[in-house]
Amino acid sequence: MDQKLKSKLEVYAIYIIIAIVSIIIFYPLIWTVGMSLNQGSSLYSSSIIPENFSLEHYKWLFSDGSDYLIWYKNSLIVSSFVAAGSVILTSLIAYAFSRYQFVGRKNGLYVFLLLQMFPVMMAMVALYIFLNMIGLLDTLSGLILIYLGGQIPFNAWLVKGYFDTIPRELDQAARIDGAGHLRVFWSIMLPLAKPILAVVALFNFMMPMFDFLLPSIVLTSESNYTLAVGLFNFINDQFSNNFTRFAAGSILVAIPIAGIYLFLQRYLISGLTAGGSKG
């Protein structure tokens, strides 16, 4: 087989793989969009291309009889606080591990790495008891607290790797000019670390918007539900299987995620590639 034919076959194989992956990704999305535009509430009577397009489900979500806007507000509150808090906490922790030498530094990094190996489900009972003890069960504050603490190991390891790529000579030059630790962190490290901090902000904004398991355990009042828990109620009752409303609500979840992604897009690629280069 000559080299030219071999190259063509490789290109065809790549296109075939891309086509298969695209079908796997986009087919469920197209079905969800089509279902949200179908009339009625049944899953089985819906079609991927609706015979009669209807926006009745989207209108119902914003009507007075729906709690969808309350759930949307709760999700945005949790996601925004988790994203901002994670950036602040992670950057401070990562800066300490990257720039300072202290007792337990190496073991602390190993603990962060070890904690990432255990699934969150292992701690669900302990987290429930902990929130009940401090009076934060069934509150958005308790949910935010759990998210912030649970993401520290992964985020700190990721950002610490990026901080390690920033030359220490910049710190030394700033200290010669009289800058203190906080000044170096604020004026030098944070501006140079915008790409990785954008990655942390995006990941920690997305997770509460999509997560179902933790909010379903922590939150019991319907007025405190996040979107994932609230939308699940549309389809978990055998007498109210509103799959079309569920599809419409799911589509609208993507709006803030897409907005944040577009806003941070210029930082994401460099942040993801550089964050794991050192550890």
Side-chain angles (χ1 to χ4, degrees):
M1 181 182 300
D2 59 9
Q3 188 66 29
K4 188 175 181 179
L5 179 59
K6 184 178 180 181
S7 299
K8 287 184 177 181
L9 291 176
E10 291 176 352
V11 172
Y12 291 149
I14 292 173
Y15 281 131
I16 292 173
I17 294 174
I18 293 175
I20 294 174
V21 172
S22 299
I23 292 173
I24 295 174
I25 294 174
F26 288 107
Y27 182 74
L29 295 177
I30 296 173
W31 246 113
T32 304
V33 173
M35 190 186 304
S36 69
L37 298 174
N38 275 269
Q39 296 179 343
S41 61
S42 174
L43 172 66
Y44 300 103
S45 62
S46 301
S47 58
I48 191 170
I49 301 178
E51 296 180 1
N52 297 310
F53 286 88
S54 174
L55 297 176
E56 63 177 293
H57 306 303
Y58 291 96
K59 294 178 181 178
W60 181 87
L61 292 176
F62 294 95
S63 66
D64 295 334
S66 172
D67 293 327
Y68 183 77
L69 289 179
I70 297 176
W71 303 336
Y72 213 112
K73 180 192 71 174
N74 293 340
S75 293
L76 289 177
I77 290 174
V78 174
S79 294
S80 299
F81 274 95
V82 170
S86 295
V87 169
I88 295 171
L89 289 175
T90 299
S91 58
L92 290 170
I93 295 172
Y95 178 68
F97 276 99
S98 176
R99 287 302 194 257
Y100 301 134
Q101 297 293 330
F102 52 88
V103 177
R105 175 182 178 275
K106 187 176 181 180
N107 291 333
L109 290 173
Y110 286 146
V111 169
F112 283 167
L113 188 62
L114 184 64
L115 288 174
Q116 299 178 44
M117 301 179 183
F118 297 97
V120 180
M121 289 187 62
M122 294 180 60
M124 286 299 176
V125 175
L127 293 176
Y128 184 90
I129 296 174
F130 171 71
L131 291 179
N132 189 40
M133 289 174 57
I134 63 177
L136 291 179
L137 192 64
D138 192 25
T139 64
L140 297 181
S141 301
L143 186 61
I144 292 171
L145 181 64
I146 297 301
Y147 278 131
L148 286 176
Q151 289 301 305
I152 285 178
F154 173 76
N155 292 335
W157 188 270
L158 187 67
V159 178
K160 186 257 180 194
Y162 193 94
F163 280 170
D164 287 344
T165 65
I166 299 176
R168 294 177 179 269
E169 288 78 8
L170 296 176
D171 305 22
Q172 298 169 1
R175 291 196 175 94
I176 291 174
D177 291 336
H181 297 292
L182 185 59
R183 183 70 174 177
V184 171
F185 171 75
W186 182 261
S187 300
I188 296 178
M189 301 298 290
L190 287 187
L192 294 175
K194 284 182 180 179
I196 195 63
L197 296 180
V199 173
V200 171
L202 178 63
F203 285 176
N204 286 271
F205 185 87
M206 290 172 57
M207 183 182 59
M209 294 291 289
F210 297 143
D211 186 28
F212 168 77
L213 183 60
L214 183 59
S216 65
I217 295 175
V218 174
L219 306 175
T220 55
S221 300
E222 190 168 342
S223 60
N224 290 331
Y225 282 172
T226 58
L227 276 173
V229 181
L231 288 175
F232 179 71
N233 288 336
F234 287 172
I235 58 174
N236 73 330
D237 190 346
Q238 61 176 332
F239 299 109
S240 59
N241 292 328
N242 296 305
F243 285 95
T244 47
R245 290 177 180 176
F246 175 86
S250 302
I251 295 297
L252 296 179
V253 175
I255 294 177
I257 303 297
I260 295 294
Y261 178 82
L262 292 175
F263 178 74
L264 300 175
Q265 185 179 15
R266 63 183 184 273
Y267 300 117
L268 295 179
I269 296 178
S270 57
L272 285 171
T273 56
S277 60
K278 290 187 178 182

